[in-house]
Amino acid sequence: MSTIVTAHSVAEPSRWSKATASFIVATYAIVTILPLLWIFLTGFKTPPDSIAYPPKILFEPSIEGYVNLFTTRSRQTPEFLASLPPPQTWYERLVRSRNMVIGGPSKVVPRFVNSMVIGFGSTFLAVCFGTIAAYAFSRFRVPLADDLLFFILSTRMMPPIAVAIPIYLMFRNLGLTDTKLGMILLYTAVNVSLAVWLLKGFMDEIPREYEEAAMVDGYTRLQAFFKVVLPQASTGIAATAIFCLIFAWNEYAFAVLLTSGDAQTMPPFIPFIIGEGGQDWPAVAAATTLFFIPILCFTILLRRHLLRGITFGAVRK
């Protein structure tokens, strides 16, 4: 007696299901974007408008927040301001309208450069070391591999503040306190565990036959790694780089404890942007907006690489 096997097809979603899903996605997107939009708009408010209650939705745009972010100012008496020559630039006129004079540039540019150097430098090293270690765990018989992988993962199980004091004492003895090199090494060490675990899964999905075929054609193991494995793992490498950069870019606890001047990054610098009579919220919002741009651009660029990497190379198992 023969058995008839009927193939099941995926049912087409109903119009109601599509509308519900679209509504949920749109609501989530709006709720997520609203805080970022509010920060962006606050950067173009004047200090009085930024603390107005109820909050002002419609306001006259001003770039005073960005001027305050990039300059240091001091309040002067009307007599002293009258003795000064007329302002030569538009931002000097803006500052003079607040009865202030510009004392010089602020420290935002050096702090932003520190974030770029430390964030991208540590991400590059973490991804490089993580890729090599993940390849070794995936392709070779490493003694106690499971125990080593668990130990690597365990370094991320404790909050950073739990090891902040020992790291501070170690950095002080090694002369790495408030140095870019010290912060790059620290963020690399923290991110390597994440990189190894993420990339090992991608390495395991790449069939060994590709490398074996390349070595039969005369490639060395190293050549097969660079020309066969890395292109196939580009998706995982891009995703890992995004996560590592997000941690290094936003990290606050270590940056506060281990840096104070030369190597200070933007996260500990932004909360201490002080204005006249308290926090200069337009300047803080302007700094937050500028701080958000590089990580957004990096994610968008690697997102394109991710989409390309999914279909790159031969058909996978």
Side-chain angles (χ1 to χ4, degrees):
M1 182 176 181
S2 61
T3 302
I4 300 175
V5 179
T6 304
H8 296 278
S9 60
V10 179
E12 180 71 19
S14 65
R15 181 178 302 178
W16 172 252
S17 300
K18 292 181 180 180
T20 303
S22 301
F23 175 77
I24 294 175
V25 171
T27 303
Y28 176 78
I30 293 174
V31 172
T32 304
I33 293 175
L34 273 179
L36 301 177
L37 180 61
W38 187 260
I39 292 173
F40 174 77
L41 293 177
T42 302
F44 292 97
K45 292 181 178 181
T46 60
D49 287 344
S50 66
I51 58 175
Y53 186 83
K56 287 188 175 182
I57 304 298
L58 301 177
F59 57 90
E60 184 178 353
S62 172
I63 56 174
E64 185 175 350
Y66 287 89
V67 173
N68 295 346
L69 174 63
F70 286 97
T71 61
T72 58
R73 301 152 315 284
S74 61
R75 179 167 292 279
Q76 301 295 335
T77 62
E79 293 78 11
F80 179 80
L81 293 175
S83 65
L84 296 177
Q88 302 297 321
T89 59
W90 60 268
Y91 53 86
E92 288 181 338
R93 289 192 294 269
L94 180 60
V95 172
R96 292 280 186 91
S97 66
R98 297 288 183 180
N99 294 325
M100 295 182 181
V101 294
I102 296 177
S106 67
K107 298 180 180 180
V108 64
V109 174
R111 301 301 185 260
F112 188 82
V113 172
N114 290 343
S115 290
M116 295 285 288
V117 173
I118 294 172
F120 283 95
S122 62
T123 298
F124 176 77
L125 292 178
V127 171
C128 287
F129 294 149
T131 301
I132 297 172
Y135 179 75
F137 279 114
S138 178
R139 290 297 187 265
F140 303 106
R141 292 185 177 179
V142 180
L144 302 176
D146 294 337
D147 296 332
L148 287 175
L149 285 171
F150 178 78
F151 172 76
I152 292 173
L153 182 63
S154 67
T155 60
R156 298 299 299 267
M157 294 181 181
M158 63 181 70
I161 197 64
V163 294
I165 300 302
I167 289 177
Y168 171 76
L169 296 176
M170 180 178 64
F171 270 47
R172 186 181 63 179
N173 292 332
L174 295 175
L176 294 176
T177 305
D178 200 21
T179 62
K180 298 183 184 66
L181 176 61
M183 299 306 295
I184 290 175
L185 295 177
L186 176 61
Y187 290 170
T188 300
V190 174
N191 277 330
V192 160
S193 59
L194 176 65
V196 171
W197 272 91
L198 288 177
L199 288 170
K200 184 180 182 300
F202 284 93
M203 295 293 180
D204 290 341
E205 293 180 359
I206 302 174
R208 297 172 182 264
E209 289 80 2
Y210 298 160
E211 299 163 73
E212 295 173 356
M215 287 186 285
V216 167
D217 290 339
Y219 283 16
T220 64
R221 169 73 69 172
L222 187 62
Q223 289 173 329
F225 172 73
F226 280 105
K227 296 184 178 182
V228 176
V229 177
L230 285 187
Q232 295 293 323
S234 59
T235 300
I237 292 173
T240 302
I242 292 174
F243 286 115
C244 290
L245 181 62
I246 288 175
F247 168 81
W249 194 255
N250 297 322
E251 204 285 322
Y252 182 80
F254 288 134
V256 168
L257 183 65
L258 301 176
T259 65
S260 58
D262 294 338
Q264 188 181 51
T265 55
M266 288 290 285
F269 172 75
I270 291 176
F272 291 96
I273 299 176
I274 305 298
E276 182 186 13
Q279 204 82 31
D280 190 347
W281 293 114
V284 171
T288 305
T289 302
L290 293 178
F291 183 65
F292 177 71
I293 291 175
I295 195 73
L296 176 64
C297 295
F298 183 78
T299 304
I300 292 175
L301 290 175
L302 285 193
R303 184 179 68 88
R304 296 173 56 189
H305 182 74
L306 285 174
L307 295 176
R308 185 172 65 251
I310 293 175
T311 57
F312 186 89
V315 178
R316 304 186 183 190
K317 284 185 175 180

CSV table of all heavy atoms in Angstrom, one decimal, residues 46-82:
chain,number,residue,atom,x,y,z
A,46,THR,N,18.8,77.3,22.2
A,46,THR,CA,19.5,78.1,23.1
A,46,THR,C,19.4,77.6,24.5
A,46,THR,O,18.5,76.8,24.8
A,46,THR,CB,18.9,79.6,23.1
A,46,THR,OG1,17.6,79.5,23.5
A,46,THR,CG2,19.0,80.2,21.7
A,47,PRO,N,20.4,77.9,25.4
A,47,PRO,CA,20.3,77.4,26.8
A,47,PRO,C,18.9,77.6,27.4
A,47,PRO,O,18.4,76.7,28.1
A,47,PRO,CB,21.4,78.1,27.5
A,47,PRO,CG,22.4,78.4,26.4
A,47,PRO,CD,21.6,78.7,25.2
A,48,PRO,N,18.3,78.8,27.3
A,48,PRO,CA,17.0,78.9,28.0
A,48,PRO,C,15.9,78.0,27.3
A,48,PRO,O,15.1,77.4,28.1
A,48,PRO,CB,16.6,80.4,27.7
A,48,PRO,CG,17.9,81.1,27.6
A,48,PRO,CD,18.8,80.1,26.9
A,49,ASP,N,16.0,77.8,26.0
A,49,ASP,CA,15.0,76.9,25.4
A,49,ASP,C,15.2,75.5,25.7
A,49,ASP,O,14.3,74.7,25.8
A,49,ASP,CB,15.1,77.1,23.9
A,49,ASP,CG,14.5,78.4,23.4
A,49,ASP,OD1,13.8,79.0,24.2
A,49,ASP,OD2,14.8,78.8,22.2
A,50,SER,N,16.5,75.1,26.0
A,50,SER,CA,16.8,73.7,26.3
A,50,SER,C,16.2,73.2,27.7
A,50,SER,O,16.0,72.0,27.9
A,50,SER,CB,18.3,73.4,26.3
A,50,SER,OG,18.9,74.1,27.3
A,51,ILE,N,16.0,74.2,28.6
A,51,ILE,CA,15.5,73.8,29.9
A,51,ILE,C,14.1,74.4,30.1
A,51,ILE,O,13.6,74.4,31.3
A,51,ILE,CB,16.4,74.4,31.0
A,51,ILE,CG1,16.6,75.9,30.9
A,51,ILE,CG2,17.8,73.7,30.9
A,51,ILE,CD1,17.4,76.5,32.1
A,52,ALA,N,13.4,74.8,29.1
A,52,ALA,CA,12.1,75.4,29.2
A,52,ALA,C,11.1,74.3,29.6
A,52,ALA,O,11.2,73.1,29.2
A,52,ALA,CB,11.7,76.0,27.9
A,53,TYR,N,10.1,74.7,30.4
A,53,TYR,CA,9.0,73.7,30.8
A,53,TYR,C,7.7,74.4,30.6
A,53,TYR,O,7.5,75.5,31.1
A,53,TYR,CB,9.2,73.3,32.2
A,53,TYR,CG,8.2,72.2,32.6
A,53,TYR,CD1,8.4,70.9,32.3
A,53,TYR,CD2,7.0,72.6,33.2
A,53,TYR,CE1,7.5,69.9,32.6
A,53,TYR,CE2,6.0,71.6,33.5
A,53,TYR,CZ,6.3,70.3,33.2
A,53,TYR,OH,5.4,69.3,33.5
A,54,PRO,N,6.8,73.8,29.8
A,54,PRO,CA,6.9,72.6,29.1
A,54,PRO,C,8.0,72.6,28.0
A,54,PRO,O,8.2,73.7,27.5
A,54,PRO,CB,5.5,72.3,28.6
A,54,PRO,CG,4.9,73.6,28.5
A,54,PRO,CD,5.5,74.5,29.6
A,55,PRO,N,8.5,71.5,27.6
A,55,PRO,CA,9.6,71.5,26.6
A,55,PRO,C,9.0,72.1,25.3
A,55,PRO,O,7.9,71.9,24.9
A,55,PRO,CB,9.9,70.0,26.4
A,55,PRO,CG,9.5,69.4,27.7
A,55,PRO,CD,8.3,70.1,28.1
A,56,LYS,N,9.9,72.9,24.6
A,56,LYS,CA,9.5,73.5,23.4
A,56,LYS,C,9.8,72.6,22.2
A,56,LYS,O,10.9,72.1,22.0
A,56,LYS,CB,10.4,74.8,23.2
A,56,LYS,CG,10.0,75.9,24.1
A,56,LYS,CD,10.7,77.2,23.8
A,56,LYS,CE,10.2,78.4,24.6
A,56,LYS,NZ,10.9,79.7,24.2
A,57,ILE,N,8.7,72.4,21.4
A,57,ILE,CA,8.8,71.6,20.2
A,57,ILE,C,9.2,72.5,19.1
A,57,ILE,O,10.0,72.2,18.2
A,57,ILE,CB,7.5,70.9,19.9
A,57,ILE,CG1,7.1,70.0,21.1
A,57,ILE,CG2,7.6,70.1,18.7
A,57,ILE,CD1,8.1,68.9,21.4
A,58,LEU,N,8.6,73.7,19.0
A,58,LEU,CA,8.9,74.7,18.0
A,58,LEU,C,9.7,75.8,18.6
A,58,LEU,O,9.4,76.4,19.7
A,58,LEU,CB,7.6,75.3,17.5
A,58,LEU,CG,6.6,74.4,16.8
A,58,LEU,CD1,5.3,75.1,16.4
A,58,LEU,CD2,7.2,73.7,15.6
A,59,PHE,N,10.9,76.1,18.0
A,59,PHE,CA,11.8,77.0,18.6
A,59,PHE,C,12.6,77.6,17.4
A,59,PHE,O,12.6,77.1,16.3
A,59,PHE,CB,12.7,76.4,19.6
A,59,PHE,CG,13.5,75.2,19.0
A,59,PHE,CD1,14.8,75.4,18.5
A,59,PHE,CD2,13.0,73.9,19.1
A,59,PHE,CE1,15.5,74.3,17.9
A,59,PHE,CE2,13.7,72.9,18.5
A,59,PHE,CZ,14.9,73.0,18.0
A,60,GLU,N,13.3,78.7,17.7
A,60,GLU,CA,14.1,79.4,16.7
A,60,GLU,C,15.5,78.7,16.8
A,60,GLU,O,16.2,78.7,17.8
A,60,GLU,CB,14.3,80.9,17.0
A,60,GLU,CG,15.1,81.6,15.9
A,60,GLU,CD,15.2,83.1,16.2
A,60,GLU,OE1,14.5,83.5,17.2
A,60,GLU,OE2,15.9,83.8,15.5
A,61,PRO,N,15.9,78.0,15.7
A,61,PRO,CA,17.2,77.3,15.7
A,61,PRO,C,18.4,78.3,16.0
A,61,PRO,O,18.4,79.4,15.6
A,61,PRO,CB,17.3,76.7,14.3
A,61,PRO,CG,15.9,76.7,13.8
A,61,PRO,CD,15.2,77.9,14.4
A,62,SER,N,19.4,77.7,16.7
A,62,SER,CA,20.6,78.4,17.0
A,62,SER,C,21.7,77.4,17.1
A,62,SER,O,21.5,76.3,17.5
A,62,SER,CB,20.4,79.2,18.4
A,62,SER,OG,21.7,79.7,18.8
A,63,ILE,N,22.9,77.9,16.7
A,63,ILE,CA,24.1,77.0,16.8
A,63,ILE,C,25.0,77.4,17.9
A,63,ILE,O,26.2,77.1,18.0
A,63,ILE,CB,24.9,77.0,15.4
A,63,ILE,CG1,25.3,78.5,15.1
A,63,ILE,CG2,24.1,76.4,14.3
A,63,ILE,CD1,26.2,78.6,13.9
A,64,GLU,N,24.3,78.0,18.9
A,64,GLU,CA,25.1,78.4,20.1
A,64,GLU,C,25.7,77.2,20.8
A,64,GLU,O,26.8,77.3,21.4
A,64,GLU,CB,24.2,79.2,21.0
A,64,GLU,CG,24.9,79.8,22.3
A,64,GLU,CD,24.0,80.7,23.1
A,64,GLU,OE1,22.9,81.0,22.6
A,64,GLU,OE2,24.4,81.0,24.2
A,65,GLY,N,24.9,76.1,20.8
A,65,GLY,CA,25.4,74.9,21.5
A,65,GLY,C,26.7,74.4,20.9
A,65,GLY,O,27.7,74.0,21.6
A,66,TYR,N,26.8,74.4,19.6
A,66,TYR,CA,28.1,74.0,18.9
A,66,TYR,C,29.2,75.0,19.1
A,66,TYR,O,30.4,74.6,19.2
A,66,TYR,CB,27.8,73.8,17.4
A,66,TYR,CG,27.0,72.6,17.1
A,66,TYR,CD1,25.6,72.6,17.1
A,66,TYR,CD2,27.6,71.3,16.9
A,66,TYR,CE1,24.8,71.5,16.8
A,66,TYR,CE2,26.8,70.2,16.6
A,66,TYR,CZ,25.5,70.3,16.6
A,66,TYR,OH,24.7,69.2,16.4
A,67,VAL,N,28.9,76.3,19.2
A,67,VAL,CA,29.9,77.3,19.5
A,67,VAL,C,30.4,77.1,20.9
A,67,VAL,O,31.6,77.1,21.1
A,67,VAL,CB,29.3,78.7,19.3
A,67,VAL,CG1,30.3,79.8,19.8
A,67,VAL,CG2,29.0,79.0,17.8
A,68,ASN,N,29.5,76.8,21.8
A,68,ASN,CA,30.0,76.6,23.2
A,68,ASN,C,30.7,75.3,23.3
A,68,ASN,O,31.6,75.2,24.2
A,68,ASN,CB,28.7,76.6,24.1
A,68,ASN,CG,28.0,77.9,24.2
A,68,ASN,OD1,28.5,78.9,23.8
A,68,ASN,ND2,26.8,77.9,24.7
A,69,LEU,N,30.4,74.3,22.5
A,69,LEU,CA,31.1,73.1,22.6
A,69,LEU,C,32.6,73.2,22.1
A,69,LEU,O,33.5,72.6,22.8
A,69,LEU,CB,30.4,72.0,21.7
A,69,LEU,CG,31.1,70.7,21.5
A,69,LEU,CD1,31.2,70.0,22.9
A,69,LEU,CD2,30.4,69.8,20.5
A,70,PHE,N,32.8,74.0,21.1
A,70,PHE,CA,34.2,74.1,20.6
A,70,PHE,C,35.0,75.2,21.1
A,70,PHE,O,36.2,75.4,20.7
A,70,PHE,CB,34.1,74.2,19.0
A,70,PHE,CG,33.7,72.9,18.3
A,70,PHE,CD1,32.4,72.7,18.0
A,70,PHE,CD2,34.7,71.9,18.1
A,70,PHE,CE1,32.1,71.5,17.3
A,70,PHE,CE2,34.4,70.7,17.5
A,70,PHE,CZ,33.0,70.5,17.1
A,71,THR,N,34.5,76.0,22.0
A,71,THR,CA,35.2,77.2,22.6
A,71,THR,C,35.1,77.2,24.1
A,71,THR,O,34.2,76.6,24.7
A,71,THR,CB,34.7,78.5,22.0
A,71,THR,OG1,33.3,78.6,22.4
A,71,THR,CG2,34.8,78.5,20.5
A,72,THR,N,36.0,77.9,24.7
A,72,THR,CA,35.9,78.2,26.1
A,72,THR,C,35.6,79.7,26.2
A,72,THR,O,36.2,80.5,25.5
A,72,THR,CB,37.2,77.9,26.9
A,72,THR,OG1,38.3,78.6,26.3
A,72,THR,CG2,37.5,76.4,26.8
A,73,ARG,N,34.7,80.1,27.1
A,73,ARG,CA,34.2,81.5,27.2
A,73,ARG,C,34.3,82.0,28.6
A,73,ARG,O,34.3,81.2,29.6
A,73,ARG,CB,32.8,81.6,26.7
A,73,ARG,CG,32.6,81.1,25.3
A,73,ARG,CD,31.2,80.5,25.0
A,73,ARG,NE,30.7,79.7,26.1
A,73,ARG,CZ,31.1,78.4,26.2
A,73,ARG,NH1,32.0,77.9,25.4
A,73,ARG,NH2,30.6,77.7,27.2
A,74,SER,N,34.3,83.3,28.8
A,74,SER,CA,34.3,83.9,30.1
A,74,SER,C,33.4,85.1,30.0
A,74,SER,O,33.4,85.9,29.1
A,74,SER,CB,35.7,84.3,30.6
A,74,SER,OG,36.3,85.2,29.7
A,75,ARG,N,32.6,85.3,31.1
A,75,ARG,CA,31.7,86.5,31.2
A,75,ARG,C,32.5,87.7,31.6
A,75,ARG,O,33.4,87.6,32.5
A,75,ARG,CB,30.6,86.2,32.2
A,75,ARG,CG,29.6,87.4,32.3
A,75,ARG,CD,28.4,87.0,33.0
A,75,ARG,NE,27.6,86.0,32.3
A,75,ARG,CZ,26.8,86.4,31.3
A,75,ARG,NH1,26.6,87.7,31.0
A,75,ARG,NH2,26.1,85.5,30.6
A,76,GLN,N,32.2,88.8,30.9
A,76,GLN,CA,33.0,90.1,31.2
A,76,GLN,C,31.9,91.2,31.4
A,76,GLN,O,30.8,91.1,31.1
A,76,GLN,CB,33.8,90.4,30.0
A,76,GLN,CG,34.9,89.4,29.6
A,76,GLN,CD,35.9,89.2,30.7
A,76,GLN,OE1,36.2,90.1,31.5
A,76,GLN,NE2,36.5,88.0,30.7
A,77,THR,N,32.5,92.3,32.0
A,77,THR,CA,31.6,93.4,32.3
A,77,THR,C,31.3,94.2,31.0
A,77,THR,O,32.1,94.1,30.0
A,77,THR,CB,32.3,94.4,33.3
A,77,THR,OG1,33.5,94.8,32.7
A,77,THR,CG2,32.6,93.6,34.6
A,78,PRO,N,30.2,94.9,31.0
A,78,PRO,CA,29.9,95.7,29.8
A,78,PRO,C,31.0,96.7,29.5
A,78,PRO,O,31.2,97.0,28.3
A,78,PRO,CB,28.6,96.4,30.1
A,78,PRO,CG,28.0,95.5,31.2
A,78,PRO,CD,29.1,95.0,31.9
A,79,GLU,N,31.7,97.3,30.5
A,79,GLU,CA,32.7,98.3,30.2
A,79,GLU,C,33.9,97.6,29.5
A,79,GLU,O,34.5,98.2,28.6
A,79,GLU,CB,33.2,98.9,31.6
A,79,GLU,CG,32.2,99.7,32.3
A,79,GLU,CD,31.1,98.9,33.0
A,79,GLU,OE1,31.3,97.7,33.1
A,79,GLU,OE2,30.1,99.5,33.4
A,80,PHE,N,34.3,96.4,29.9
A,80,PHE,CA,35.4,95.7,29.3
A,80,PHE,C,35.0,95.3,27.8
A,80,PHE,O,35.8,95.4,26.9
A,80,PHE,CB,35.7,94.4,30.1
A,80,PHE,CG,36.8,93.6,29.5
A,80,PHE,CD1,38.2,94.0,29.6
A,80,PHE,CD2,36.6,92.5,28.7
A,80,PHE,CE1,39.2,93.3,29.1
A,80,PHE,CE2,37.6,91.8,28.1
A,80,PHE,CZ,38.9,92.2,28.3
A,81,LEU,N,33.8,94.9,27.6
A,81,LEU,CA,33.3,94.5,26.3
A,81,LEU,C,33.3,95.7,25.4
A,81,LEU,O,33.7,95.6,24.2
A,81,LEU,CB,31.9,93.9,26.3
A,81,LEU,CG,31.8,92.5,27.0
A,81,LEU,CD1,30.4,92.1,27.1
A,81,LEU,CD2,32.6,91.5,26.3
A,82,ALA,N,33.0,96.9,25.9
A,82,ALA,CA,33.0,98.1,25.1
A,82,ALA,C,34.4,98.5,24.7
A,82,ALA,O,34.6,99.2,23.7
A,82,ALA,CB,32.3,99.2,25.8
